[in-house]
Structures are given as C-alpha cells and as structure tokens.
Amino acid sequence: MIYFNLKALLIAVLIFVPLEYLFALRPGQKILRKASFNDLLYALFNSIPATIGLAAILTLVMSAVGNLVPLFVGNAVSSQPIWLQVAEIIVIADIGFYAAHRTFHAVPFLWRFHAIHHSIEELDWLAAHRNHPVDLALSKAASLVPVYLLGFSSPAIALFVLIFHAHGLLLHANIKLNIGPLRWLIASPQFHHWHHAQERAAYDKNFAGQLSFIDVLFGTMYLPGNTVPERYGVDDPVPPTYVEQLAYPLIPKGKASETTVTRDA
C-alpha cells in the first residue's frame, strides 16, 4: 500500500506542483513549506489505518443491515451505465460526507480529531492529506456505507474514489481557479479555502466535499465575492508533528494545552 501511495504521490507532484507555480493563489508561498514533511508522512502512511478502520465499519454495517436491502435494488443499481452510477454516487456520498463533516465540527470530542486537518496554516495540494485516521475512516464510512448498501458496482465506486481524491487535492491546492456561476454547484478551491479560514464569519461553513449546492440548501454556504482568506488554522493547541497529532485527540484537553505551552516556551 505504501508503494501505491508513493506512485500516486509522484503523479500528484507532476500535476499540482506546475499548476501551483503557474496559477498560484498566493505567489509567495513556497513549494516546500514548513509543514511539508509532516504532511508527506500523512500522504504515505495515513491510508493504512484509515483503510483498516473503514473496512471494519463497512463489514460491520453490511453484516448487520445489508440483507435489509432487497436484492433487486442492487441488481437494478449496478446494471446502470457506469457514468450514471458515478453521478449518483457523487450525490449520495457527498450528502453523507456533509453530514459527517458537520458533525465533526459540532461535537467537541469529534472536533479534536478534525482539528488536526484544520491546523493547516498554509494550504496546498499536499496539505489535503493531513487528516487524522479516525476522522478519515468515519467520514469515508458516512459517504460509502449508503453506496455499498444500495449495491453500486465496484468499478463505479473505484472511479468515484479516484475522482473524490483528485478533487480533494484540487480543493486544498494553492491555485487560483475561477469557475464562475458553477461555484454554486461544484466545490472549488475558493469554496474550500474559506472553510479553512481562521475568520469568525467563515466558521462552520462550506462542509460539502464536492457539491457546494448542498451547503446552499442547508444554509451553510459562504463565498464573499472573489476574496480569499487572510489566514488559515485554528486556535486549538494542535502539536506540529505527525506522531503528536495522532495522539492529540486522545490526550485530555488540559494536558494537551500544557504540553504545547511547554514546548513553545
């Protein structure tokens, strides 16, 4: 799996590094920023625990309630053209992602896992990988459990996963991309950069992973013109290194704060 991650990472480098150089949203931002090595570790190793967690959740759910969905439903769904299945999966999965993402912001215990992702202070394509494995597994489960229950075909699910991953890298990328009126339908880098903004007006906004119109429907859309945030990050005492970040959500809040203050001092 690490070998596969490395190959995918090299492909992403060849695509996004030139794009970020040519169409930089923040021209002064370095390709190798201060947290690049930390996020590289997430890119290489994070999928292992996250995939194990996701597989465990899917197995548990399918064994518990999988038989409740009639067989003819799965047959009808999987017999559709691949392109139509993928389109349907994107809608279904993003509704699940939206619900999970909003829950991670609303529940304090879950937020401690999600705060790892929001601790990013310089956004680029590599930063997209900085997700705690618990956050990643639960979010993916919320997206994919309905998809598996309804019986979508494996090729369609695989194609969706590829599209979702590529779109996720683009959303975090340091790229200036104006998609005009489509920004109210499809998530764009500007849309997601505002989700990461350390500005009060942008807190708890823009939860969708691919379809921004879901935020429009639920009243959580925030796109102030063509502006971009002045800064990113959180006030939470999230430590700076990979191993510390994995442990951070499980450390009592007071002790985590003391540890950060001691190191910073």
Side-chain angles (χ1 to χ4, degrees):
M1 183 173 290
I2 294 177
Y3 176 69
F4 174 80
N5 291 346
L6 184 58
K7 288 176 59 179
L9 190 64
L10 290 174
I11 293 172
V13 167
L14 294 175
I15 294 173
F16 283 100
V17 169
L19 287 176
E20 290 189 336
Y21 177 77
L22 294 172
F23 308 103
L25 181 64
R26 300 178 184 277
Q29 182 172 303
K30 297 179 180 179
I31 294 176
L32 293 177
R33 52 187 169 76
K34 63 180 181 180
S36 290
F37 179 72
N38 180 69
D39 296 340
L40 177 62
L41 294 178
Y42 277 98
L44 291 175
F45 301 111
N46 213 31
S47 64
I48 299 173
T51 300
I52 293 173
L54 174 62
I57 295 171
L58 288 174
T59 300
L60 179 63
V61 172
M62 294 300 292
S63 62
V65 299
N67 292 331
L68 297 180
V69 180
L71 185 61
F72 73 85
V73 172
N75 291 334
V77 168
S78 62
S79 65
Q80 298 177 106
I82 292 293
W83 67 265
L84 182 57
Q85 290 188 60
V86 172
E88 292 169 348
I89 292 173
I90 289 174
V91 175
I92 294 170
D94 214 33
I95 292 173
F97 181 86
Y98 177 96
H101 196 176
R102 193 165 180 176
T103 301
F104 268 95
H105 277 251
V107 178
F109 175 70
L110 292 177
W111 166 252
R112 288 176 61 78
F113 291 96
H114 192 56
I116 303 301
H117 185 62
H118 277 270
S119 67
I120 301 166
E121 295 181 350
E122 294 178 283
L123 282 173
D124 63 9
W125 68 274
L126 184 59
H129 297 89
R130 192 193 302 182
N131 293 280
H132 195 283
V134 171
D135 181 356
L136 200 57
L138 292 177
S139 297
K140 284 188 174 183
S143 298
L144 292 177
V145 162
V147 171
Y148 276 96
L149 285 174
L150 290 172
F152 285 93
S153 67
S154 295
I157 295 174
L159 184 55
F160 159 74
V161 170
L162 179 62
I163 293 171
F164 182 85
H165 181 69
H167 194 182
L169 298 185
L170 175 63
L171 293 182
H172 294 84
N174 180 32
I175 293 176
K176 187 174 184 179
L177 178 64
N178 185 356
I179 62 173
L182 285 177
R183 64 182 185 165
W184 301 100
L185 177 65
I186 302 170
S188 64
Q190 183 200 21
F191 169 90
H192 196 70
H193 277 228
W194 274 111
H195 178 71
H196 279 269
Q198 196 176 17
E199 298 182 23
R200 176 60 61 181
Y203 288 177
D204 299 329
K205 303 292 184 181
N206 300 359
F207 292 109
Q210 292 185 277
L211 303 173
S212 56
F213 76 81
I214 297 175
D215 281 279
V216 175
L217 292 175
F218 288 99
T220 52
M221 181 78 149
Y222 185 75
L223 275 179
N226 292 319
T227 61
V228 294
E230 291 185 8
R231 61 184 185 140
Y232 309 102
V234 290
D235 294 326
D236 302 53
V238 177
T241 65
Y242 177 68
V243 174
E244 289 177 309
Q245 288 174 359
L246 294 183
Y248 168 76
L250 306 176
I251 300 174
K253 194 170 183 179
K255 291 185 178 180
S257 300
E258 292 171 8
T259 301
T260 303
V261 169
T262 301
R263 183 178 55 253
D264 292 344

